[in-house]
Amino acid sequence: MTRRFRATLAWDGSAWFGWQRQVGAPTLQQELERVLALIEKAPVVVEASGRTDAGVHAHAQVISFDLQNRIPVENLHRVLNDLLPEDIRVLSVQVAAPDFHARFHARAKTYEYRIWRGSICPPFQRHYVLHFPWPLLETEMIAAAAVYAGDLNFSAFAASDPKDVHGFSKVRRVHSSLLWREGEQLIYRVRGSGFMKHQVRMMVCMLLEVGKGNLSKEELAARLQPPYAPKACAVPARGLHLLSVEYDD
Amino acid sequence: MTRRFRATLAWDGSAWFGWQRQVGAPTLQQELERVLALIEKAPVVVEASGRTDAGVHAHAQVISFDLQNRIPVENLHRVLNDLLPEDIRVLSVQVAAPDFHARFHARAKTYEYRIWRGSICPPFQRHYVLHFPWPLLETEMIAAAAVYAGDLNFSAFAASDPKDVHGFSKVRRVHSSLLWREGEQLIYRVRGSGFMKHQVRMMVCMLLEVGKGNLSKEELAARLQPPYAPKACAVPARGLHLLSVEYDD
């Protein structure tokens, strides 16, 4: 009897070439499929709520997969953490409804981007923040972050996807978009229905342009209107954290 | 004119084979001497307040060194951070008294040891804590930590040093020795006049023995009295953090 599983994972993305399996570079999907295949003694396909780029960290990514193996779920949890490297941890595993799908059923995601403002970036933070010690108009950035909330066309905030030959909609719903100062860090947190490739990193890069005085809040808002141009810049992946994924249940 | 400098450093010890220069393994002293020699265009010797083992982290280690080079101190600070890898940061540099010596003049040091008690160690913590999710008598450990405070003979809590042919005193003054629970962590913090090789890691290992019920507080106290035996065990270096070094000035 096949059981479908749902698991929640945390990982330090520093050493991984992102989620999606690829030839010649270690990826998270491959590593999870490798370990699950050891348990199943047959190939296993793992779906995540979405892909993440190389260097992006996950605090609670959700995945789904099927197993025929009759291993008790608590043992599965333990053996996964025994077999996986320390920079990937399975926080929880449960048996899911047979039609549960980590990607198709995801309703919302929350990402955080961390910018270290102090002149020296502590060595313990170096993989988890963008170090930006130069002057920024932080108050203007905080105000500009609100521009991204709503049902908006993020065409200017998505990496070109060669697979997008059908011209999929670039409209996404952003439930909340907040920037604040916390000690030596600027924290940007965004919750939305879904995000395109590089979208959050491009949104943050444009907030930095506002902070540098290169762009006003109004000019930023105009990038979300036709002609959706020019294309936004993107900040490095290391400061990006997937905090959570929400489902209907 | 030779100037003596005093600098405060933070480092992530994960990738380093400890402080002391050695052949065939990257050490912090070597890396600092390499970078300072690039600036001085001549060999430079760097002294730290004390050696640290491979894997031990520093939040504010103090070093001293001499330069003939007339570089302004602010530029020295910047160029050091430009030349050093991201896992070593110079927090501050200043010109010191000509006789200042990071080791001989150190009056007290504070170390912290972090034990992760949750069943899953977050990937972001993996290099900075000992993961010990098994049962512990934490209240007994908290009480036993006080045993280490005072002027005590730590012979049972020092790695054998082949260089110690003269039988140096193993008496050390511990100003404070505290253990507490903080969220999912047990934190042990000790401030003392100085510590011998492996001393803090051995002190923590014996507190864990109390936590496992293998040793009472009274039996632990007896190890600090003649015959100072048996020798204590030691916990892994990754959970050990040098927090600060104090000087008279």
Side-chain angles (χ1 to χ4, degrees), chain A residues 10-12 57-59 77 81 86-91 120-124 126 128 238, chain B residues 10-12 57-59 77 81 86-91 120-124 126 128 238:
Chain A
W11 65 67
D12 180 330
H57 311 291
H59 295 249
H77 189 186
N81 278 330
E86 278 189 321
D87 56 354
I88 307 176
R89 292 292 88 188
V90 178
L91 304 179
I120 294 158
C121 181
F124 312 103
R126 70 193 189 283
Y128 311 119
R238 58 163 66 179
Chain B
W11 66 66
D12 180 330
H57 311 291
H59 295 249
H77 188 185
N81 278 330
E86 279 189 320
D87 56 354
I88 307 175
R89 292 291 88 186
V90 178
L91 304 179
I120 293 157
C121 182
F124 311 102
R126 71 195 190 283
Y128 310 120
R238 58 163 64 180

